[in-house]
Amino acid sequence: MSAPTLRPPSDPAAPSRPAPTPLRPSGLTWTVLRLHRAALLVWVAALLVAGALMTWLYVIGPDARAAVVPCATPPTDGLPDCATLRAIHTDENYGVGLDLVATALSYLMLPVAAWAGAALIGRELENGTAQLAWTQSVTPVRWLAAKLAVPAVLLTVGTTTAVVLHTVARRDGNGPLAGAWYDPEVYASTGPVTVAYALAGLALGALAGLVLRKALPAAGAAFAVTLALSYLMQALRPSLWPTTTITGRTALDLPPDVLVLEHGVVTSDGRRIGNDLACVGSETQDQIRACMKNSRLSDFWATVHPESHFWPLQLVESGVLLAVAGAAVAVAFTVLRRRTA
């Protein structure tokens, strides 16, 4: 028989220990994520859908490429039947899928800017949530820094992943199915400019929210400004890097991976005329000589951006966009300090 365990009587005057509370995430980062969890879930869902789509496009890429080979009706000389190839539709699905992803990535900055102006900043200033946080342990500067840093990290990681998957899904060598590197939407969705555009949209949207302090006007202003920035950069893009000038008869037969900015001729008296397509349709050397003689031409030239200029153009444009984002952030902090001083 075991002896009973004796416990000392509890002292009613002794302070009771509170039950331990479970650890929960805290801090400004968690607050931003919790407050904007709906946008976070939409962002994650969009990335998952885009990732699944681009994985499927990568898988069907070889079949799509095989569907655009030369054909004949009826099939002859080893060429497949054209009707059979047209019935596959893999190339159409592949092209439509790539266009859809490219468009979404190219204009990602627009919904990002509208959301940043309306939900991230404008709505909190309009309903007083931000002012309430400032009266507690969070300073306005820390509040804005967290508001910008958390979505900036999520946008950078997610957009970079989407760009990499999109580039892989395009598969080098798919030719007209994947589009030329200089096509506006292809260019804006296959390099670092995609991330830079998203960050610029975030910064401009936050600035609009701080200036206007109302959700809907800030969303509209941010959308309009980022759209104007997109069109401006597209217009300035060819001048962001020095062009290459090709002379001689090579200028008449440029490869499809070259962005032609201007094409012209040199007359027999030495005058250079731009945007003159004389003799472009000539196929043989004799036809070229005859055309040059009849047109009184001495040479041809073309100003182009070869495919090797893709990365220099991307890096310069990304630098410009990040400078815009940095300037917008600096102005946003200046506006915040003046209004809370």
Side-chain angles (χ1 to χ4, degrees), residues 98-110:
L98 287 180
D99 289 343
L100 180 63
V101 174
T103 301
L105 289 176
S106 298
Y107 296 101
L108 175 64
M109 66 180 301
L110 299 179

Side-chain angles (χ1 to χ4, degrees), residues 23 51 64 146-147 155 174-175 210 242 246 261 268 280 287 315 324 336:
L23 295 177
K147 286 286 183 181
L155 281 173
N174 266 342
L210 280 168
I246 300 175
L261 301 177
S268 56
V280 168
Q287 289 176 336
L315 295 177
V324 171
L336 181 65

Side-chain angles (χ1 to χ4, degrees), residues 28-291:
L28 278 176
T29 300
W30 173 249
T31 301
V32 174
L33 290 175
R34 184 178 58 185
L35 186 61
H36 301 284
R37 56 183 176 272
L40 176 62
L41 292 175
V42 170
W43 176 238
V44 172
L47 289 177
L48 291 176
V49 171
L53 175 60
M54 288 182 283
T55 301
W56 176 67
L57 293 175
Y58 176 82
V59 172
I60 69 172
D63 293 335
R65 185 164 55 238
V68 293
V69 297
C71 59
T73 302
T76 56
D77 298 330
L79 297 178
D81 182 42
C82 292
T84 302
L85 292 180
R86 282 194 291 267
I88 296 175
H89 296 299
T90 304
D91 55 330
E92 296 179 8
N93 296 334
Y94 182 79
V96 170
L98 287 180
D99 289 343
L100 180 63
V101 174
T103 301
L105 289 176
S106 298
Y107 296 101
L108 175 64
M109 66 180 301
L110 299 179
V112 167
W115 171 79
L120 187 67
I121 303 296
R123 184 177 64 187
E124 293 201 33
L125 292 174
E126 185 176 9
N127 60 22
T129 306
Q131 292 84 341
L132 178 62
W134 300 343
T135 60
Q136 300 177 3
S137 59
V138 180
T139 64
V141 171
R142 284 188 59 206
W143 172 84
L144 181 57
K147 286 286 183 181
L148 291 174
V150 175
V153 170
L154 294 174
L155 281 173
T156 300
V157 174
T159 308
T160 301
T161 303
V163 169
V164 171
L165 291 175
H166 182 217
T167 304
V168 172
R170 286 171 50 83
R171 288 178 177 264
D172 292 338
N174 266 342
L177 288 176
W181 67 270
Y182 51 80
D183 290 343
E185 292 184 357
V186 174
Y187 175 89
S189 61
T190 54
V193 294
T194 315
V195 181
Y197 270 115
L199 295 178
L202 174 67
L204 292 172
L207 177 58
L210 280 168
V211 171
L212 299 176
R213 303 172 69 89
K214 291 184 180 295
L216 289 180
F223 186 93
V225 170
T226 51
L227 182 62
L229 175 64
S230 174
Y231 282 123
L232 175 63
M233 294 306 300
Q234 185 174 331
L236 296 177
R237 187 170 297 153
S239 61
L240 294 178
W241 191 256
T243 58
T244 298
T245 300
I246 300 175
T247 58
R249 295 175 185 176
T250 306
L252 293 177
D253 188 20
L254 295 170
D257 61 350
V258 169
L259 171 60
V260 181
L261 301 177
E262 193 174 13
H263 186 282
V265 296
V266 180
T267 62
S268 56
D269 57 359
R271 289 187 301 116
R272 202 170 190 179
I273 304 176
N275 296 321
D276 191 320
L277 302 179
C279 305
V280 168
S282 304
E283 297 180 357
T284 66
Q285 295 294 331
D286 292 337
Q287 289 176 336
I288 294 175
R289 293 191 193 97
C291 181

